[in-house]
Amino acid sequence: MTPPLGDIAHIGHAQLFTPDLDASVAFFTDFLGLTVNGQDGDTVYLRTFDDYEHHSLVLTARDRPGLGRLALRTSSEEALRRRVRAIEAAGGAGHWAEDEPGLGKLYVTTDPDGHEHALYWESEYYQAPDALKPSLKNQPQAKPNRGVGVRRLDHVNFLAADVLANAEFQEQVLGARPTEQIRLDSGKIAARWLTYTDKSYDVVYTSDWTGSAGRLHHIAFATDTREDILRAADLAIDTGVFIETGPHKHAIQQTFFLYVYEPGGNRVELCNPLTRLVLAPDWPLITWTEEERGKGQAWGLKTIESFHTHGTPPVRP
């Protein structure tokens, strides 16, 4: 039985592991324009300027890069309880934690691939200090005067050993809707895009060609315009940020994008999804074939496979 739509309100934040915490913090603040909003030992909390919550990103020092936790805010306390019951009814396991500033209790569980998810309801609204107060009262924080100035955390793309099993967890247990997918000639689902909201996608599962489980492909931050992404590319080459590919336009979801690496070794996408929303309640799942994917991106750029799946960028020439 498909759970009611809207139990998951939106992506709250993501946690990244980094072997170079200071350099990663500098990347997200100086290049992307996030603001540090607290630190607890080897964990730093950062926020985008248009996030109403305490933080959008958590950076934690580890010996290897990768994804820690994806936090999802539910639409109510009862919605949280429903999702917990659904997880446990499906044979999943989890535990309650209260270990992040600005948030109440989180129910921590994993998808079939082992990616950690945390569901929560209670959240404090961010109150900007005087130095960061916006002139427009309907904006949580003044726009940054440095870097790209990304608006929000947009989506997370997981690498998975079994795309379909993980996508069905999102659909049948958490209530996500699938919007687009890739089906190989063998019939295998190689990737699926899903949304909790009217955005065309919030999470993605992409097949991990190594057969590994629990790894990250990338996290993505949204910009206001395509021009912001072009400017980001110029900033990247001026500041030594490694560009993997782009700027360009995806065929799937039609997102204008730029892929870069942060110094800790995590892939980061800058994206401008335009105003593309999924407003139809009976939106059909769009399937792309292997032949269609072979044509590359919207304007002919060949699709890059997940070469750097351990999160280590290649040496810049």
Side-chain angles (χ1 to χ4, degrees), residues 93 132 149 191 195 221 229 240 283 311:
L132 296 176
T195 181
F221 291 88
I229 292 178
W283 180 266

Side-chain angles (χ1 to χ4, degrees), residues 7 15 25 31 33-34 44 65 70 116 148 151 155-156 173 178 189 221 240 246 256 260 262 271 274 295 300:
D7 271 4
Q15 179 188 33
V25 169
F31 178 66
L34 275 68
V44 179
L70 174 64
E116 187 174 286
V148 182
R151 179 173 287 274
H155 64 268
V156 174
V173 179
I189 302 302
F221 291 88
F256 197 71
V260 300
E262 60 90 17
C271 66
L274 306 176
K295 296 177 182 178

Side-chain angles (χ1 to χ4, degrees), residues 6-152:
D7 271 4
I8 303 299
H10 62 82
I11 291 176
H13 60 271
Q15 179 188 33
L16 290 180
F17 297 141
T18 171
D20 193 339
L21 183 61
D22 290 342
S24 292
V25 169
F27 168 89
F28 284 103
T29 54
D30 296 340
F31 178 66
L32 288 191
L34 275 68
T35 303
V36 172
N37 195 33
Q39 181 167 358
D40 182 9
D42 61 0
T43 293
V44 179
Y45 301 92
L46 303 99
R47 49 174 287 104
T48 59
F49 77 88
D50 203 30
D51 195 338
Y52 70 91
E53 297 188 277
H54 180 274
H55 50 275
S56 317
L57 178 69
V58 181
L59 292 176
T60 299
R62 288 288 190 277
D63 59 350
R64 292 176 62 85
L67 182 70
R69 172 185 293 177
L70 174 64
L72 305 171
R73 192 179 186 203
T74 61
S75 55
S76 67
E77 179 68 32
E78 179 53 35
L80 173 59
R81 298 292 175 179
R82 276 197 300 268
R83 291 309 97 222
V84 170
R85 291 195 296 269
I87 291 167
E88 294 175 349
H95 66 274
W96 290 96
E98 196 165 357
D99 56 3
E100 295 197 39
L103 303 179
K105 289 184 177 180
L106 304 99
Y107 185 77
V108 182
T109 187
T110 62
D111 64 15
D113 217 62
H115 302 101
E116 187 174 286
H117 287 55
L119 280 61
Y120 67 98
W121 160 242
E122 294 179 357
S123 179
E124 297 177 3
Y125 274 66
Y126 175 72
Q127 299 295 321
D130 289 343
L132 296 176
K133 284 189 181 298
S135 59
L136 299 176
K137 64 187 300 182
N138 57 359
Q139 186 172 300
Q141 177 184 322
K143 285 191 174 184
N145 59 4
R146 66 191 183 284
V148 182
V150 293
R151 179 173 287 274
R152 69 172 186 272

Side-chain angles (χ1 to χ4, degrees), residues 207-225:
S207 182
D208 190 332
W209 62 269
T210 69
S212 302
R215 296 199 298 165
L216 173 69
H217 189 279
H218 69 267
I219 66 169
F221 291 88
T223 64
D224 283 338
T225 68

Side-chain angles (χ1 to χ4, degrees), residues 27 31 148 230-243 258 260 270 316:
F27 168 89
F31 178 66
V148 182
L230 297 178
R231 178 172 172 272
D234 286 336
L235 288 174
I237 61 173
D238 283 341
T239 58
V241 171
F242 179 82
I243 295 175
L258 174 72
V260 300
L270 300 179
R316 190 182 185 92

